[in-house]
Amino acid sequence: MQDAEVPRRGRAGATMAAAGGGGGGGGRAGPVTALPTPSRRLKYASLGVLVLQNASLVLSIRYVRTLPGERFLPTTAVVLAEAMKGCACLLLLLLQHRGSVRQTAQTLQEAVVGQFGDTLRLAVPSLIYTLQNNLQYVAISNLPAATFQVTYQLKILTTALFSVLLLGTSLSRLQWLSLALLFAGVALVQAEQARAAPPGPPLPLSSPGSPLLAASSPPAVPQEPPQSYAVGLAAVAASCLSSGFAGVYFERLLKTSGGSIWLRNVQLGAVGTAVGLAAMVAAEGPAVAALGFFYGYSPAVWAVVLNQAAGGLLVAVVVRYADNILKGFATALSILASTLASVHLFGFRPRGPFLAGTALVLAAVCLYGRPRRGGAGPGPAGPGARSGAGGDPGSGGAKSVEESVSKDKGS
């Protein structure tokens, strides 16, 4: 989806530049010079929205998953987020048809039944995105928010590699250098964090201290859930790998089959909800049956679900106004915001190697998004191509890095 938007944005920018440069026509001069101001405002507003969404999603998931007491079942949150995203895209599709229910139903019938092969092919990224969202809950439950944010930028590397392998994308030398810096920065952060991490049992989807076991045992004093750094690291690595593949696969599907972005997201949401329900039954079926679907849901948990559902849709909207450089800055600022907030909220204490590794990752993100000389595009589409990306927590060529995040983060 991101790729679909990038050319459009490029043509619009070229048109505006041509109009501004040839300002011979007096009648056209006025409107052309009036455009930059609102455009700048929209770009910086987009920057703020991306930073807020990326940082708040990771921090809020970390907060609700490490609170003592009743803990919600994360697979139910994934199902709810998918259902909300599908419903929102259905509403946007209805607005695209000017409120005509008949035309919207016709479009859906043609897309789902008339192009059943495409619907089946969409099941692949939908399955991977659902897996990715569940893995993010496991990762954030076991890793500090700042560590997750830095490590999750490996999705840029996996997306670039899958773009080269599956789409034949060519990367500039600067982009290859930025990917090497990215890998070195994440490795430095992980080496430092692995030494500092205390050993402990993992907190997967259904942990030893899960609500299901709590329901059959006498009440006790609430304790913080156990955590395992190794489990969190494995989960974030698998999430980055799945994010890169799903984003590139979805981009390739959009290029070959076309169709409205909102229509494709309705299909993804429907299939994702079904897949999420199946995963919920397989992973936490007994717990859901014993405790209920909404067990442990507090206002903070509902905020996480809404944030996750809205993340991809936000990216889909803001990429129309924010260029790739600004999205790189948004990613960098969200990492800094998560680190600073983690210090105050969770008592996180970054050390020298962590700060050095984070600096390398920030430099890599900004370098990777720089446009090529000669007007070439910024590179492969990012992991979040689904909604627009997410996830993510979570968490942005122009669409490339952030879009995957959103689906983020859904990611």
Side-chain angles (χ1 to χ4, degrees):
M1 136 173 205
Q2 284 231 61
D3 258 18
E5 293 298 335
V6 173
R8 234 178 278 164
R9 205 167 43 245
R11 286 194 297 270
T15 303
M16 288 171 58
R28 288 192 298 256
V32 168
T33 53
L35 285 175
T37 301
S39 175
R40 254 196 312 272
R41 289 176 182 172
L42 285 172
K43 282 186 176 183
Y44 288 111
S46 301
L47 174 66
V49 169
L50 286 174
V51 172
L52 181 62
Q53 198 276 332
N54 286 349
S56 65
L57 181 60
V58 175
L59 291 169
S60 58
I61 291 178
R62 177 68 180 174
Y63 174 75
V64 298
R65 289 295 289 159
T66 55
L67 280 177
E70 295 182 354
R71 290 186 289 278
F72 71 101
L73 305 171
T75 52
T76 63
V78 172
V79 171
L80 274 181
E82 288 296 325
M84 288 180 180
K85 207 175 306 183
C87 291
C89 289
L90 184 60
L91 178 60
L92 290 169
L93 188 62
L94 181 64
L95 294 176
Q96 259 188 354
H97 290 87
R98 299 181 180 180
S100 172
V101 177
R102 183 178 178 180
Q103 288 184 8
T104 304
Q106 256 182 343
T107 301
L108 286 172
Q109 183 181 11
E110 291 173 2
V112 176
V113 180
Q115 302 175 13
F116 191 66
D118 285 347
T119 303
L120 288 179
R121 282 190 287 272
L122 280 170
V124 175
S126 183
L127 173 64
I128 297 174
Y129 282 134
T130 304
L131 170 66
Q132 176 190 341
N133 285 337
N134 281 290
L135 286 171
Q136 284 182 354
Y137 275 103
V138 176
I140 299 174
S141 300
N142 289 280
L143 294 177
T147 303
F148 172 83
Q149 275 281 51
V150 174
T151 308
Y152 192 57
Q153 300 314 309
L154 279 178
K155 69 185 183 296
I156 303 173
L157 174 62
T158 60
T159 300
L161 294 179
F162 279 120
S163 294
V164 171
L165 294 175
L166 300 181
L167 300 179
T169 304
S170 83
L171 301 180
S172 67
R173 291 180 181 177
L174 182 61
Q175 287 176 319
W176 283 115
L177 173 62
S178 68
L179 293 177
L181 288 176
L182 175 67
F183 186 82
V186 171
L188 189 57
V189 167
Q190 291 306 324
E192 190 272 337
Q193 289 291 292
R195 286 195 298 268
L203 179 64
L205 293 181
S206 291
S207 64
S210 69
L212 179 60
L213 297 180
S216 59
S217 60
V221 178
Q223 297 179 351
E224 290 188 3
Q227 300 175 37
S228 169
Y229 190 85
V231 169
L233 182 58
V236 74
S239 183
C240 289
L241 191 65
S242 62
S243 173
F245 177 77
V248 172
Y249 182 94
F250 188 56
E251 177 193 350
R252 184 176 183 178
L253 194 61
L254 285 176
K255 284 181 175 180
T256 56
S257 62
S260 162
I261 289 171
W262 305 125
L263 174 61
R264 294 307 182 196
N265 275 276
V266 169
Q267 293 173 288
L268 280 173
V271 177
T273 302
V275 171
L277 284 170
M280 179 191 73
V281 172
E284 296 179 324
V288 174
L291 302 168
F293 189 91
F294 296 105
Y295 176 84
Y297 272 66
S298 63
V301 175
W302 279 108
V304 167
V305 174
L306 289 172
N307 194 352
Q308 192 170 31
L313 302 178
L314 284 173
V315 172
V317 174
V318 300
V319 290
R320 295 175 180 267
Y321 307 107
D323 57 26
N324 195 56
I325 297 176
L326 278 181
K327 292 202 318 191
F329 277 118
T331 301
L333 290 175
S334 67
I335 293 174
L336 294 175
S338 297
T339 302
L340 293 175
S342 296
V343 171
H344 296 284
L345 296 176
F346 308 117
F348 179 70
R349 292 292 179 267
R351 300 179 183 178
F354 178 90
L355 296 176
T358 301
L360 287 177
V361 170
L362 296 181
V365 169
C366 294
L367 287 175
Y368 185 84
R370 291 188 64 181
R372 301 187 189 184
R373 294 179 181 178
R386 157 176 185 174
S387 289
D392 100 163
S395 202
K399 276 196 172 182
S400 53
V401 173
E402 279 308 330
E403 204 145 284
S404 2
V405 178
S406 82
K407 159 69 188 165
D408 240 169
K409 261 168 107 260
S411 112

XYZ file of all heavy atoms in Angstrom, residues 101-150:
385
model
N -24.767 1.736 0.491
C -24.588 0.379 1.009
C -24.593 -0.627 -0.139
O -23.838 -1.605 -0.139
C -25.707 0.046 2.019
C -25.582 -1.401 2.507
C -25.657 1.007 3.202
N -25.420 -0.364 -1.155
C -25.535 -1.294 -2.274
C -24.217 -1.375 -3.052
O -23.735 -2.471 -3.365
C -26.668 -0.850 -3.197
C -26.910 -1.797 -4.365
C -28.079 -1.328 -5.197
N -28.297 -2.204 -6.336
C -29.261 -2.017 -7.231
N -30.077 -0.980 -7.114
N -29.406 -2.846 -8.245
N -23.629 -0.226 -3.349
C -22.363 -0.223 -4.087
C -21.239 -0.851 -3.268
O -20.392 -1.573 -3.801
C -21.993 1.211 -4.483
C -22.856 1.789 -5.588
C -22.379 3.174 -6.004
O -21.321 3.635 -5.558
N -23.153 3.831 -6.851
N -21.243 -0.568 -1.969
C -20.218 -1.157 -1.099
C -20.343 -2.679 -1.060
O -19.342 -3.400 -1.154
C -20.343 -0.586 0.324
O -20.251 0.843 0.283
C -19.249 -1.134 1.226
N -21.589 -3.165 -0.928
C -21.816 -4.610 -0.908
C -21.405 -5.243 -2.240
O -20.834 -6.347 -2.275
C -23.277 -4.909 -0.613
N -21.683 -4.543 -3.341
C -21.288 -5.052 -4.661
C -19.777 -5.165 -4.779
O -19.238 -6.158 -5.273
C -21.817 -4.118 -5.766
C -23.026 -4.670 -6.479
C -23.475 -3.734 -7.600
O -23.092 -2.557 -7.635
N -24.286 -4.231 -8.489
N -19.093 -4.111 -4.315
C -17.632 -4.115 -4.364
C -17.056 -5.262 -3.540
O -16.130 -5.958 -3.961
C -17.077 -2.780 -3.841
O -17.594 -1.709 -4.633
C -15.563 -2.751 -3.891
N -17.615 -5.474 -2.344
C -17.138 -6.552 -1.486
C -17.392 -7.918 -2.115
O -16.540 -8.814 -2.062
C -17.827 -6.476 -0.115
C -17.362 -5.351 0.821
C -18.249 -5.287 2.047
C -15.910 -5.564 1.228
N -18.570 -8.064 -2.731
C -18.893 -9.346 -3.363
C -17.938 -9.641 -4.524
O -17.442 -10.756 -4.676
C -20.337 -9.344 -3.860
C -20.754 -10.684 -4.463
C -22.182 -10.663 -4.978
O -22.802 -9.605 -5.065
N -22.719 -11.823 -5.327
N -17.661 -8.620 -5.324
C -16.754 -8.818 -6.450
C -15.341 -9.151 -5.971
O -14.644 -9.966 -6.567
C -16.720 -7.556 -7.320
C -18.011 -7.295 -8.075
C -17.988 -5.949 -8.780
O -16.937 -5.265 -8.701
O -19.006 -5.574 -9.383
N -14.934 -8.495 -4.869
C -13.578 -8.710 -4.372
C -13.429 -10.058 -3.682
O -12.432 -10.762 -3.866
C -13.188 -7.589 -3.418
N -14.421 -10.426 -2.873
C -14.305 -11.644 -2.068
C -14.685 -12.884 -2.872
O -13.969 -13.886 -2.862
C -15.175 -11.539 -0.801
C -15.128 -12.844 -0.010
C -14.714 -10.380 0.064
N -15.819 -12.806 -3.587
C -16.297 -13.973 -4.326
C -15.755 -13.982 -5.751
O -15.258 -14.994 -6.245
C -17.844 -14.002 -4.344
C -18.345 -15.220 -5.121
C -18.391 -14.000 -2.929
N -15.830 -12.826 -6.424
C -15.391 -12.757 -7.808
C -13.889 -12.944 -7.966
O -13.429 -13.426 -9.007
N -13.119 -12.536 -6.968
C -11.660 -12.715 -6.999
C -11.234 -13.562 -5.796
O -10.448 -13.141 -4.949
C -10.955 -11.352 -6.973
C -11.358 -10.443 -8.115
C -10.736 -9.053 -7.994
O -9.831 -8.826 -7.205
N -11.220 -8.129 -8.802
N -11.792 -14.758 -5.748
C -11.585 -15.612 -4.585
C -10.121 -16.002 -4.421
O -9.642 -16.197 -3.303
C -12.452 -16.866 -4.702
C -12.508 -17.671 -3.442
C -13.111 -17.165 -2.302
C -11.937 -18.931 -3.388
C -13.166 -17.902 -1.127
C -11.975 -19.677 -2.219
C -12.593 -19.165 -1.090
N -9.409 -16.091 -5.550
C -7.983 -16.418 -5.464
C -7.205 -15.362 -4.704
O -6.336 -15.680 -3.886
N -7.532 -14.074 -4.967
C -6.867 -12.999 -4.236
C -7.194 -13.064 -2.752
O -6.341 -12.795 -1.897
C -7.292 -11.635 -4.796
C -6.622 -11.342 -6.130
O -5.664 -12.057 -6.479
O -7.071 -10.409 -6.820
N -8.449 -13.407 -2.444
C -8.842 -13.510 -1.037
C -8.033 -14.593 -0.334
O -7.586 -14.416 0.801
C -10.340 -13.828 -0.925
O -11.098 -12.811 -1.601
C -10.783 -13.886 0.526
N -7.844 -15.718 -1.016
C -7.043 -16.795 -0.422
C -5.592 -16.365 -0.249
O -4.951 -16.688 0.758
C -7.123 -18.045 -1.297
C -8.461 -18.797 -1.295
C -8.387 -19.996 -2.222
C -8.844 -19.234 0.109
N -5.065 -15.630 -1.257
C -3.672 -15.172 -1.143
C -3.516 -14.184 0.005
O -2.454 -14.112 0.629
C -3.222 -14.552 -2.460
C -2.867 -15.581 -3.529
C -2.191 -14.941 -4.724
N -3.136 -14.184 -5.528
C -3.856 -14.696 -6.513
N -3.750 -15.983 -6.809
N -4.687 -13.944 -7.204
N -4.565 -13.401 0.289
C -4.499 -12.460 1.411
C -4.455 -13.172 2.756
O -4.077 -12.571 3.763
C -5.701 -11.518 1.373
C -5.617 -10.341 0.405
C -6.965 -9.646 0.296
C -4.560 -9.356 0.836
N -4.855 -14.443 2.767
C -4.812 -15.186 4.027
C -3.377 -15.365 4.508
O -3.130 -15.490 5.707
C -5.482 -16.549 3.854
N -2.411 -15.358 3.572
C -1.009 -15.544 3.968
C -0.506 -14.379 4.821
O -0.055 -14.586 5.956
C -0.117 -15.747 2.721
C 1.351 -15.820 3.126
C -0.532 -17.007 1.977
N -0.566 -13.107 4.320
C -0.118 -12.011 5.188
C -0.985 -11.853 6.419
O -0.497 -11.464 7.480
C -0.198 -10.775 4.279
C -1.153 -11.129 3.210
C -0.987 -12.606 2.983
N -2.280 -12.164 6.300
C -3.155 -12.030 7.462
C -2.731 -12.985 8.568
O -2.692 -12.616 9.755
C -4.603 -12.311 7.043
O -5.474 -12.123 8.125
N -2.407 -14.212 8.191
C -1.935 -15.187 9.176
C -0.639 -14.719 9.822
O -0.469 -14.793 11.048
C -1.724 -16.542 8.484
C -1.078 -17.651 9.314
C -1.980 -18.026 10.480
C -0.799 -18.876 8.454
N 0.267 -14.185 8.997
C 1.564 -13.743 9.526
C 1.394 -12.523 10.426
O 2.043 -12.411 11.476
C 2.527 -13.446 8.373
C 2.793 -14.716 7.565
C 3.845 -12.893 8.896
C 3.626 -14.499 6.326
N 0.523 -11.581 10.024
C 0.296 -10.401 10.856
C -0.294 -10.776 12.215
O 0.044 -10.187 13.242
C -0.639 -9.426 10.147
C 0.020 -8.613 9.063
C -0.596 -8.451 7.819
C 1.241 -7.990 9.254
C 0.000 -7.696 6.814
C 1.846 -7.235 8.265
C 1.219 -7.099 7.055
O 1.810 -6.353 6.067
N -1.210 -11.744 12.219
C -1.793 -12.187 13.490
C -0.723 -12.811 14.379
O -0.653 -12.540 15.590
C -2.925 -13.196 13.224
O -3.898 -12.609 12.362
C -3.599 -13.608 14.528
N 0.123 -13.640 13.773
C 1.246 -14.220 14.529
C 2.154 -13.121 15.064
O 2.586 -13.149 16.223
C 2.031 -15.161 13.611
C 3.369 -15.677 14.162
C 3.140 -16.579 15.363
C 4.146 -16.423 13.068
N 2.422 -12.133 14.217
C 3.311 -11.034 14.607
C 2.763 -10.265 15.804
O 3.491 -9.926 16.740
C 3.506 -10.093 13.422
C 4.331 -8.861 13.716
C 4.283 -7.865 12.563
O 3.936 -8.230 11.439
N 4.616 -6.631 12.838
N 1.468 -9.975 15.783
C 0.861 -9.223 16.892
C 0.938 -10.003 18.200
O 1.173 -9.429 19.274
C -0.590 -8.880 16.557
C -0.698 -7.772 15.542
O 0.218 -6.971 15.383
N -1.807 -7.714 14.832
N 0.711 -11.313 18.125
C 0.833 -12.127 19.335
C 2.275 -12.175 19.830
O 2.528 -12.125 21.040
C 0.315 -13.545 19.059
C -1.197 -13.638 19.079
O -1.827 -13.527 20.124
N -1.787 -13.837 17.918
N 3.221 -12.257 18.894
C 4.632 -12.268 19.282
C 5.050 -10.958 19.935
O 5.883 -10.948 20.857
C 5.501 -12.528 18.046
C 5.512 -13.961 17.502
C 6.233 -14.019 16.160
C 6.156 -14.911 18.499
N 4.470 -9.860 19.481
C 4.808 -8.568 20.088
C 4.391 -8.511 21.547
O 5.100 -7.948 22.390
C 4.161 -7.437 19.300
C 4.873 -7.132 17.996
C 4.254 -5.973 17.252
O 3.214 -5.447 17.642
N 4.880 -5.566 16.170
N 3.232 -9.084 21.856
C 2.812 -9.116 23.258
C 3.796 -9.930 24.098
O 4.152 -9.552 25.220
C 1.403 -9.708 23.378
C 0.304 -8.694 23.179
C -0.396 -8.629 21.989
C -0.034 -7.814 24.195
C -1.406 -7.701 21.797
C -1.039 -6.877 24.027
C -1.720 -6.818 22.826
O -2.719 -5.889 22.647
N 4.243 -11.068 23.552
C 5.213 -11.886 24.278
C 6.524 -11.120 24.459
O 7.113 -11.101 25.549
C 5.467 -13.210 23.528
C 6.552 -14.022 24.235
C 4.185 -14.025 23.439
N 6.986 -10.464 23.385
C 8.261 -9.748 23.443
C 8.217 -8.601 24.438
O 9.114 -8.450 25.286
C 8.629 -9.226 22.050
N 7.165 -7.769 24.352
C 7.086 -6.601 25.236
C 6.846 -7.025 26.682
O 7.228 -6.317 27.621
C 5.986 -5.637 24.742
C 6.320 -5.152 23.325
C 5.856 -4.437 25.667
C 5.232 -4.301 22.687
N 6.217 -8.180 26.878
C 6.007 -8.666 28.243
C 7.311 -9.100 28.893
O 7.411 -9.141 30.124
C 5.032 -9.851 28.236
O 3.774 -9.484 27.712
N 8.317 -9.427 28.097
C 9.562 -9.965 28.636
C 10.774 -9.063 28.430
O 11.853 -9.380 28.932
C 9.848 -11.327 28.004
C 8.894 -12.405 28.488
O 9.050 -12.947 29.562
N 7.884 -12.704 27.676
N 10.629 -7.979 27.676
C 11.735 -7.061 27.421
C 11.380 -5.656 27.906
O 10.213 -5.254 27.835
C 12.056 -6.999 25.922
C 12.615 -8.248 25.240
C 12.774 -7.976 23.740
C 13.927 -8.658 25.852
N 12.372 -4.876 28.358
C 12.111 -3.462 28.628
C 11.620 -2.766 27.364
O 12.015 -3.120 26.240
C 13.485 -2.932 29.057
C 14.236 -4.133 29.533
C 13.749 -5.274 28.696
N 10.743 -1.774 27.536
C 10.140 -1.098 26.384
C 11.203 -0.496 25.465
O 11.113 -0.592 24.230
C 9.179 -0.014 26.866
N 12.225 0.127 26.047
C 13.269 0.756 25.233
C 14.056 -0.286 24.450
O 14.383 -0.090 23.271
C 14.208 1.567 26.127
N 14.359 -1.420 25.082
C 15.089 -2.485 24.399
C 14.272 -3.040 23.242
O 14.803 -3.309 22.156
C 15.430 -3.614 25.390
O 16.185 -3.061 26.482
C 16.232 -4.710 24.722
N 12.974 -3.220 23.472
C 12.110 -3.704 22.395
C 12.094 -2.722 21.230
O 12.211 -3.126 20.062
C 10.690 -3.918 22.915
C 9.703 -4.225 21.819
C 9.563 -5.516 21.331
C 8.931 -3.211 21.261
C 8.668 -5.791 20.301
C 8.038 -3.481 20.235
C 7.909 -4.777 19.753
N 11.945 -1.426 21.529
C 11.873 -0.428 20.466
C 13.131 -0.434 19.604
O 13.050 -0.357 18.374
C 11.685 0.977 21.073
C 10.246 1.343 21.385
C 9.479 1.785 20.148
O 9.466 1.110 19.135
N 8.829 2.930 20.237
N 14.285 -0.522 20.245
C 15.536 -0.522 19.489
C 15.669 -1.808 18.670
O 15.960 -1.782 17.465
C 16.744 -0.369 20.434
C 18.049 -0.519 19.659
C 16.697 0.994 21.117
